[in-house]
Amino acid sequence: MANNAITIGGQSVLPGENKRLNIPIDRLPTGTLIDIPVYVFNAKKPGPTLLVQAGLHGDEINGIEIVRRMIAEDHFKVKSGAVIAVPILNIFGFIHYSRDVPDGKDVNRSFPGTKTGSMASRIAYHHVNEILSQIDYGIDLHTGGGQRHNYPQVRYTQEDELSIKLAEVFNAPISFPSKLIKGSFRNAAFRMNKPTIVFEAGESMRFDENSILGGIRGILKVMMHFEMISNIASEYANKNETIPLVERKWLRAPTAGMFIPKITNGSSITKGQILGIVADTFAKRTKNIKAPYDGYICCINYQAVVNQGEALFHVGAKK
């Protein structure tokens, strides 16, 4: 029994073929055509079709490097099933160093999209109809926003048992359920019965080698689980103990001032522990930020000057 052909942008990738395809999206004001590059690795032997995508937000470059490196190192040449790899979904955001497309819309709030809608809506529409409709599982790669550094973590859909299993196999250092957001890729995938997880690691516009290696390691574990590959290279094979988190919350700045973290990202915390301080520039006032419960840090905002109410630490209690 042979694997199925995969057709994207009017081009087919037959069993046993590997191709780079392109989905035309729009043109720059100069007339330059912008398309989404899509790599398809289709084995002869049947198996699941796995989507690995990055750059849904154009400034989140750790995921882009994860996909690029896996393509360069031939990790996607599978023995069964198929991989659809999308290094940069939001090309417009990438070339503008931006999370969004030029009109300010977020592609990850525009699913399932429309054929004649805004730029973000059209990107989402083509993704749903050209890619999402053909996959069995998906891994969506993200980072934190500006100055917010996410400790490597996987977010899954609580209502989807296969999404939970996928998160367990990925085996990130931290994992937790995350609510579905209207217009998001994960919400669209859930509605189409396509189990997906989101890997969040690092911050925007800054490479973090630990995050990149963790992403590659998790993707290879998923591929190994589905028997798409025979082994994992030793540098990616080490085992994490995943820490499941519950009761997550953001700890916010109690006042305006200079923010000084007193703990490293990913660390365990105990109730009442001082995690950081916010101090005025004249050394007159200092406010402590304390842990609300025993748990772990999963994100730190490294913005040095903050206003009252800004999110500083993302924490979660251990399950």
Side-chain angles (χ1 to χ4, degrees):
M1 182 177 177
N3 207 5
N4 295 322
I6 294 174
T7 302
I8 295 174
Q11 301 179 68
S12 292
V13 183
L14 300 176
E17 291 186 333
N18 305 318
K19 287 184 181 179
R20 171 182 163 169
L21 311 175
N22 296 287
I23 303 176
I25 296 295
D26 208 336
R27 293 181 181 274
L28 297 176
T30 58
T32 303
L33 178 66
I34 296 293
D35 49 26
I36 299 172
V38 180
Y39 292 79
V40 179
F41 303 86
N42 199 6
K44 289 183 178 180
K45 186 178 177 181
T49 298
L50 174 68
L51 169 66
V52 179
Q53 70 176 24
L56 192 56
H57 294 131
D59 61 348
E60 297 183 0
I61 61 174
N62 275 325
I64 296 170
E65 172 59 11
I66 289 169
V67 179
R68 185 208 67 81
R69 197 176 297 186
M70 293 190 73
I71 293 171
E73 295 177 359
D74 290 334
H75 291 302
F76 290 137
K77 290 188 177 179
V78 292
K79 67 173 185 176
S80 65
V83 172
I84 299 176
V86 185
I88 310 173
L89 184 59
N90 181 359
I91 295 290
F92 294 92
F94 180 72
I95 61 179
H96 287 90
Y97 314 108
S98 169
R99 173 185 177 91
D100 305 322
V101 290
D103 63 2
K105 288 186 169 58
D106 186 339
V107 179
N108 205 28
R109 299 294 182 269
S110 302
F111 283 85
T114 58
K115 189 175 183 179
T116 57
S118 68
M119 186 184 298
S121 182
R122 280 181 282 127
I123 292 173
Y125 172 85
H126 284 291
H127 186 297
V128 167
N129 289 276
E130 298 273 7
I131 300 174
L132 187 55
S133 60
Q134 300 190 76
I135 72 166
D136 297 300
Y137 301 92
I139 300 173
D140 190 18
L141 306 172
H142 287 262
T143 75
Q147 303 296 324
R148 293 187 182 184
H149 189 284
N150 280 327
Y151 193 71
Q153 58 196 249
V154 156
R155 304 178 183 186
Y156 56 86
T157 305
Q158 185 69 61
E159 299 85 353
D160 185 350
E161 289 294 331
L162 290 178
S163 172
I164 297 171
K165 179 61 178 177
L166 199 61
E168 291 174 352
V169 173
F170 192 97
N171 190 217
I174 288 174
S175 71
F176 51 81
S178 180
K179 292 182 180 179
L180 292 167
I181 300 173
K182 182 179 179 181
S184 69
F185 162 76
R186 188 161 57 92
N187 186 48
F190 177 73
R191 292 178 178 275
M192 294 174 66
N193 296 316
K194 310 288 187 179
T196 62
I197 55 174
V198 173
F199 177 64
E200 290 264 2
E203 64 183 276
S204 63
M205 296 309 298
R206 194 184 304 275
F207 285 134
D208 180 80
E209 189 64 17
N210 182 55
S211 298
I212 293 166
L213 292 177
I216 295 173
R217 185 179 299 119
I219 294 165
L220 290 175
K221 287 178 180 177
V222 170
M223 294 169 66
M224 189 76 176
H225 173 77
F226 289 125
E227 299 182 347
M228 303 173 76
I229 56 176
S230 299
N231 55 68
I232 298 176
S234 58
E235 63 264 36
Y236 300 121
N238 61 312
K239 168 81 173 174
N240 292 318
E241 179 185 352
T242 299
I243 300 168
L245 298 183
V246 294
E247 299 182 42
R248 291 177 297 110
K249 67 182 298 183
W250 278 98
L251 306 183
R252 299 182 178 275
T255 186
M258 309 288 285
F259 170 50
I260 300 96
K262 297 292 186 180
I263 195 167
T264 57
N265 208 359
S267 297
S268 62
I269 57 177
T270 56
K271 184 176 181 179
Q273 178 183 352
I274 296 175
L275 308 179
I277 63 171
V278 177
D280 71 353
T281 56
F282 308 106
K284 298 293 184 181
R285 297 187 310 274
T286 299
K287 294 281 189 179
N288 293 327
I289 304 162
K290 297 182 179 180
Y293 41 59
D294 295 349
Y296 288 84
I297 302 284
C298 56
C299 180
I300 297 179
N301 183 349
Y302 286 110
Q303 181 67 42
V305 182
V306 299
N307 293 302
Q308 184 176 357
E310 290 187 12
L312 302 181
F313 294 104
H314 192 192
V315 300
K318 187 174 181 180
K319 187 174 179 180

